[in-house]
Amino acid sequence: MGGYVLRRLWHGFLVVFGVTAIVFVVTRLFGDPVALMLPLSASAEQRAAFAAEIGLDRPLVVQFAWFARDVLTLDFGMSLWQRRPAMEVVFERLPATLLLIGAALGTAMLLAIPLGIAAALRPGGLVDRLVVTLGLVGLSMPQFWLGLLLILVFAVNLRILPTSGSGTPAHLVLPALTLALTPLARLTIMLRSALIEELAKPYVKTARAKGLSAGRVFGVHALRNVLVGFLTLAGWELIVILAGYTVVVETVFAWPGLGLTALQAIQRGDLFLMQAIVFTIAILIVVINIALDVAFKLVDPRISLE
Amino acid sequence: MSIRSGIVGATTLALVGLAPFAALSQEITVAIGSEPSTLDPHLRDDGGERQVNDNIYETLMARTPEGELVPSLAAAPPTQIDDLTWEFDLREGVRFHDGEPLTAQAVVESVERVIDPANNSEQMAYFGTIAGAEAVDEDTVRILTSGPDPVLPSRMYWLKIASPALMGSEAIGSEPVGTGPYRFVSWSRGNDIVLEANPDYWDGEPDVKRVTYRFVGEAGTRLSGLMAGEFDVVTNLLPEFTGTAPKSASVPGLETSVLILGTDNEATADPRVREALNLAIDREAMAQSLFQGYAEVARGHHVNPRAFGHVADLEPYAYDPERARALVEEADAVGRTVVLVGESGRWLKSREQIEAVAAYWAEIGLSPEIRVQEFSQYLDSLMGDGPRPDAIFVANSNELLDADREASFIYHMDGAAASNSDAEMAAWIDEARVTTDVAAREALYERIFRKGRDLHYTVPLFNLQDIYGLSERIDWQPRIDAKLMIDEMSVE
């Protein structure tokens, strides 16, 4: 297992390097960051001086060499937009995003398991049809619209939750619910169909026939067999959310997380902050992937990590 | 008590302790669109920073809510010593929030900090002509310019004077110290900024005692917060929300939308075509349908109507599709492709304006081709070295309220966004920029903008209004310079 993790870390390093390099090149090739940074009224001389100050007048290769050197020491330079170290901004905003994602995905997973089981127990029954219908509704609801709707109901009409911002547990409820809905729907539907399929397998009948209780067959044998698929999908949800789905929710709820910051950095042409954010997210995704592989092994000993 | 109201009641009780809503009198909460990137008053060109710092810092000159330039930290309007030197007498008895007195030396230090190339300030776009500053005595300061600069008094309305204690200190970015009606209390990054009234303010302690800024980018969420009673003032209320908000107030804004026409482009080289492009548009109808009337039709040129140099009696373009169609036929341009470049989302309803205009152009026999570009690509089309588009949309903002902005940027052939090659007009604009005689300068601008109107260099559209949403208890008349001055607000 140790060798496997090391090898994955090496692959992860290549991924992070590749992603960072692509972002570096793309942000410099398309559009002029200086034009985005300065007011429209800035003169050509002011633009040139600004470009020289942040090193954008050098050839791309030289810029990249400097950049690579700095990255090795985890120095991502100053955020042009906030005028402080880019990594400082990232570390300030990352906890808020992780808290939001943790709350949302945790809720989704905890609710998906009982809902999926309830639906799978009696396929085609009332509960099943209800769960599937609600799941499809959840999948097709745009988060942006759902967020505003929740604000209208719970903050404006009922006035039991704040509309936006962060700082207290009450502030977390609406954004986490909004973010949880899509993964909840997808996880529930997936778990339901996997369970139905699993329960139809001969070993379930055998187990029941030799007198094992329904609960044991279900909880120990069937559920464990579908858990790897469930965790894979949950991991995928986590990565998708991390890689961008939080942006919408953070914008609607003015949640001071990394997604909102990434959006603002792009709008303002803040190259250095963008690089720091992409680098951090890439590392997180690599780490999550390795952690998931190890978790699969623990859940299902049949999986080989070699 | 029903179960639901029981839950609601219990949750409300639990929340009161956690999230006190802005209920106390004389304490207000303002929702602005973006968090200040820094509270350093000298480095960035950032709307969020200004919305907070305008209340903490002051400038030598200020504007009345109607836009008239008046002295602020200066005791009187400046006197011009020679072409390159302006002298300001400072107001007596003014102290910074840290107790330091306002001195000529403090002004010099702030000016020098902004223009220091090492600081790479984005505000140099406003201060490019300033060469330096010197203290004559304790209460008299001179600002030096690199060339004659009639706009200098307006520029000093933009340059904030910070406490000397902040110079060279890291704290200037996070703990501002000025002379203004409010002093800094706290900044919880990502969440809020709190200011409190300055009891020793030279112009009297303001009514509102404490203000909390919240940062909410999404317009629908700002409106919700206003309706939920969390906010007292929200910026940039969408025109269609004015009926929903508890109260709203509007004022002519700084931005004017305009299409710049490529006078050397094949499609738009003929002045008759350019006139037709103007006459084709029913601006009144657009102002009503897109902006619910919260937009003023531009008067034949794209200068902010409140700015110095705006020509009030220039004739607006009429809506005359018949004449436009005739002009297009006369110029043998029926079916001609006109490329219209714009962006989406950066300015209020920019995409909608572009699409409406293109539809009007199609009506008079042209075939407009819309290209909505990503913002940085758009900026390259607007200001890059490539070929000029036939027509490009821009919402031009005039912070200093001086016509030099519109003239230099859009009409001057070397201007960043100009699409003409009119050397004569460029010479007039250069002259106006250094003419310090007010009447002569005004006459020059009239000549410039008349020529622009006669040759139809642009398609001026609207001066857009700023709309603010207010809670029932707030009494406030917004300012035409878009500054969010808390000391002008009062709570009923």
Side-chain angles (χ1 to χ4, degrees):
Chain A
M1 173 118 78
Y4 170 78
V5 171
L6 271 183
R7 211 161 53 243
R8 283 299 303 266
L9 277 176
W10 166 242
H11 290 161
F13 170 78
L14 290 182
V15 167
V16 171
F17 178 81
V19 168
T20 318
I22 288 171
V23 169
F24 180 89
V25 173
V26 168
T27 48
R28 278 161 178 78
L29 282 188
F30 299 99
D32 176 7
V34 176
L36 280 172
M37 293 293 302
L38 293 184
L40 287 183
S41 52
S43 68
E45 299 83 60
Q46 284 157 0
R47 285 174 209 283
F50 197 86
E53 186 71 29
I54 57 177
L56 285 179
D57 56 340
R58 305 297 172 118
L60 207 56
V61 182
V62 177
Q63 286 185 48
F64 190 75
W66 286 357
F67 171 68
R69 185 198 60 200
D70 290 344
V71 165
L72 288 179
T73 57
L74 283 186
D75 173 9
F76 281 83
M78 298 287 275
S79 154
L80 297 171
W81 158 47
Q82 302 219 358
R83 300 273 174 139
R84 56 195 180 120
M87 265 301 162
E88 188 183 314
V89 181
V90 172
F91 284 128
E92 182 186 287
R93 297 299 161 102
L94 186 60
T97 289
L98 293 182
L99 174 67
L100 178 61
I101 296 178
L105 209 56
T107 310
M109 287 170 73
L110 284 181
L111 289 179
I113 292 177
L115 284 175
I117 292 175
L121 281 180
R122 202 179 285 272
L126 183 66
V127 178
D128 183 35
R129 273 185 289 173
L130 203 66
V131 165
V132 171
T133 311
L134 286 180
L136 289 177
V137 170
L139 275 182
S140 40
M141 195 120 65
Q143 284 181 334
F144 184 81
W145 180 80
L146 174 70
L148 288 175
L149 192 77
L150 288 178
I151 291 178
L152 270 185
V153 173
F154 290 100
V156 177
N157 288 331
L158 297 177
R159 296 210 180 189
I160 52 175
L161 290 167
T163 54
S164 62
S166 71
T168 71
H171 285 98
L172 184 59
V173 176
L174 292 184
L177 271 185
T178 310
L179 197 57
L181 191 72
T182 315
L184 169 62
R186 211 165 2 228
L187 286 170
T188 307
I189 291 180
M190 180 265 167
L191 187 67
R192 168 193 167 272
S193 44
L195 264 180
I196 291 176
E197 196 181 320
E198 198 68 24
L199 289 177
K201 284 188 178 166
Y203 80 86
V204 173
K205 275 193 187 126
T206 313
R208 287 287 283 150
K210 75 174 184 182
L212 287 184
S213 73
R216 191 166 166 79
V217 172
F218 210 90
V220 177
H221 298 284
L223 198 56
R224 187 156 180 177
N225 277 336
V226 300
L227 208 53
V228 168
F230 183 77
L231 281 182
T232 308
L233 185 62
W236 180 80
E237 294 284 356
L238 173 60
I239 287 167
V240 179
I241 293 178
L242 200 58
Y245 274 36
T246 52
V247 173
V248 173
V249 174
E250 289 182 9
T251 306
V252 170
F253 290 96
W255 184 265
L258 205 55
L260 182 58
T261 309
L263 182 74
Q264 290 167 329
I266 292 169
Q267 285 171 344
R268 290 166 171 83
D270 191 341
L271 301 178
F272 303 112
L273 184 54
M274 252 188 281
Q275 282 159 193
I277 292 175
V278 169
F279 179 81
T280 311
I281 299 283
I283 286 201
L284 277 177
I285 289 178
V286 165
V287 170
I288 289 168
N289 270 315
I290 296 177
L292 279 176
D293 281 348
V294 174
F296 293 161
K297 172 81 183 160
L298 296 179
V299 171
D300 188 344
R302 288 173 301 180
I303 291 177
S304 156
L305 289 183
E306 298 311 316
Chain B
M1 189 160 69
S2 74
I3 291 176
R4 204 199 68 183
S5 67
I7 294 172
V8 171
T11 323
T12 312
L13 273 180
L15 286 178
V16 168
L18 299 171
F21 295 148
L24 286 168
S25 63
Q26 313 309 330
E27 292 192 9
I28 67 168
T29 303
V30 178
I32 57 180
S34 64
E35 179 170 13
S37 50
T38 171
L39 286 178
D40 189 317
H42 293 149
L43 296 187
R44 299 244 24 250
D45 179 55
D46 170 3
E49 179 263 312
R50 283 200 293 273
Q51 281 161 335
V52 175
N53 270 345
D54 281 340
N55 294 286
I56 299 173
Y57 289 106
E58 288 180 295
T59 49
L60 291 179
M61 303 298 287
R63 285 188 192 275
T64 62
E66 294 75 35
E68 191 196 340
L69 202 62
V70 292
S72 173
L73 288 182
T79 47
Q80 218 179 343
I81 307 293
D82 58 49
D83 265 0
L84 308 180
T85 315
W86 298 74
E87 188 170 283
F88 292 82
D89 285 326
L90 298 184
R91 188 175 294 279
E92 279 178 30
V94 176
R95 284 184 179 277
F96 289 100
H97 302 150
D98 58 6
E100 292 287 320
L102 171 75
T103 60
Q105 188 54 35
V107 176
V108 170
E109 284 177 22
S110 279
V111 173
E112 284 179 344
R113 183 161 186 271
V114 176
I115 64 173
D116 184 351
N119 284 330
N120 210 14
S121 170
E122 291 166 22
Q123 297 176 13
M124 282 308 282
Y126 308 108
F127 306 127
T129 60
I130 296 178
E134 57 189 36
V136 177
D137 57 43
E138 191 78 341
D139 300 316
T140 314
V141 64
R142 284 183 180 172
I143 309 290
L144 315 171
T145 58
S146 50
D149 180 15
V151 192
L152 188 99
S154 292
R155 297 191 197 284
M156 299 319 289
Y157 140 80
W158 209 251
L159 199 155
K160 296 189 169 78
I161 310 299
S163 165
L166 289 176
M167 296 298 144
S169 153
E170 290 267 315
I172 193 166
S174 54
E175 291 165 45
V177 181
T179 57
Y182 289 88
R183 58 189 185 197
F184 175 77
V185 176
S186 67
W187 180 8
S188 155
R189 284 192 195 255
N191 279 321
D192 59 20
I193 290 177
V194 180
L195 311 182
E196 66 180 5
N198 170 13
D200 306 320
Y201 184 52
W202 59 267
D203 203 17
E205 188 180 349
D207 278 355
V208 173
K209 298 302 178 211
R210 200 175 171 89
V211 52
T212 304
Y213 291 88
R214 292 272 314 278
F215 325 118
V216 185
E218 167 52 34
T221 312
R222 285 199 298 271
L223 175 69
S224 299
L226 186 66
M227 289 164 65
E230 290 173 38
F231 305 145
D232 293 296
V233 178
V234 307
T235 58
N236 296 336
L237 189 72
L238 295 180
E240 52 269 37
F241 288 164
T242 46
T244 322
K247 233 163 63 168
S248 68
S250 67
V251 67
L254 298 176
E255 279 177 1
T256 305
S257 58
V258 56
L259 303 167
I260 306 165
L261 301 178
T263 61
D264 300 328
N265 293 34
E266 214 184 318
T268 44
D270 192 326
R272 288 172 299 188
V273 174
R274 299 200 299 266
E275 184 175 7
L277 293 176
N278 266 296
L279 297 179
I281 303 167
D282 187 349
R283 293 174 174 80
E284 290 293 345
M286 280 176 70
Q288 282 309 322
S289 57
L290 289 183
F291 299 104
Q292 266 80 34
Y294 290 99
E296 189 182 336
V297 172
R299 295 193 65 85
H301 58 327
H302 53 270
V303 176
N304 186 304
R306 257 60 53 179
F308 175 86
H310 175 260
V311 186
D313 58 359
L314 211 57
E315 197 192 339
Y317 285 102
Y319 171 50
D320 190 349
E322 294 306 316
R323 169 108 183 98
R325 217 168 284 131
L327 281 166
V328 168
E329 272 164 25
E330 216 179 293
D332 201 17
V334 179
R336 186 182 287 175
T337 302
V338 178
V339 175
L340 170 52
V341 176
E343 61 83 54
S344 176
R346 189 62 61 132
W347 293 299
L348 185 61
K349 310 215 168 178
S350 51
R351 182 184 204 123
E352 287 88 339
Q353 291 182 68
I354 293 161
E355 285 172 350
V357 164
Y360 282 120
W361 287 355
E363 295 261 302
I364 59 163
L366 297 167
S367 42
E369 187 187 315
I370 300 179
R371 287 193 196 144
V372 173
Q373 300 176 333
E374 188 276 322
F375 195 66
S376 62
Q377 194 191 0
Y378 158 82
L379 283 180
D380 196 45
S381 302
L382 181 70
M383 307 193 291
D385 302 326
R388 302 304 303 172
D390 297 337
I392 185 162
F393 175 92
V394 65
N396 181 54
S397 182
N398 191 340
E399 287 84 1
L400 298 182
L401 290 175
D402 188 282
D404 176 52
R405 172 86 178 96
E406 286 93 351
S408 296
F409 187 56
I410 289 173
Y411 271 163
H412 192 293
M413 55 186 275
D414 298 329
S419 296
N420 67 65
S421 51
D422 187 336
E424 182 190 45
M425 185 181 255
W428 293 344
I429 294 171
D430 287 336
E431 194 185 337
R433 200 181 294 150
V434 296
T435 302
T436 44
D437 181 83
V438 174
R441 192 158 176 262
E442 203 155 25
L444 270 170
Y445 281 124
E446 171 147 10
R447 206 192 307 164
I448 292 163
F449 298 131
R450 275 200 194 285
K451 183 173 188 191
R453 168 76 171 77
D454 288 344
L455 293 174
H456 320 291
Y457 284 166
T458 61
V459 179
L461 294 173
F462 309 102
N463 176 236
L464 303 180
Q465 298 196 5
D466 293 332
I467 314 174
Y468 299 84
L470 306 176
S471 67
E472 291 287 355
R473 65 194 190 114
I474 292 286
D475 195 22
W476 181 51
Q477 176 51 47
R479 302 166 54 91
I480 75 143
D481 61 1
K483 286 191 183 293
L484 204 59
M485 305 304 286
I486 308 295
D487 65 336
E488 290 170 3
M489 300 177 186
S490 60
V491 181
E492 279 163 22

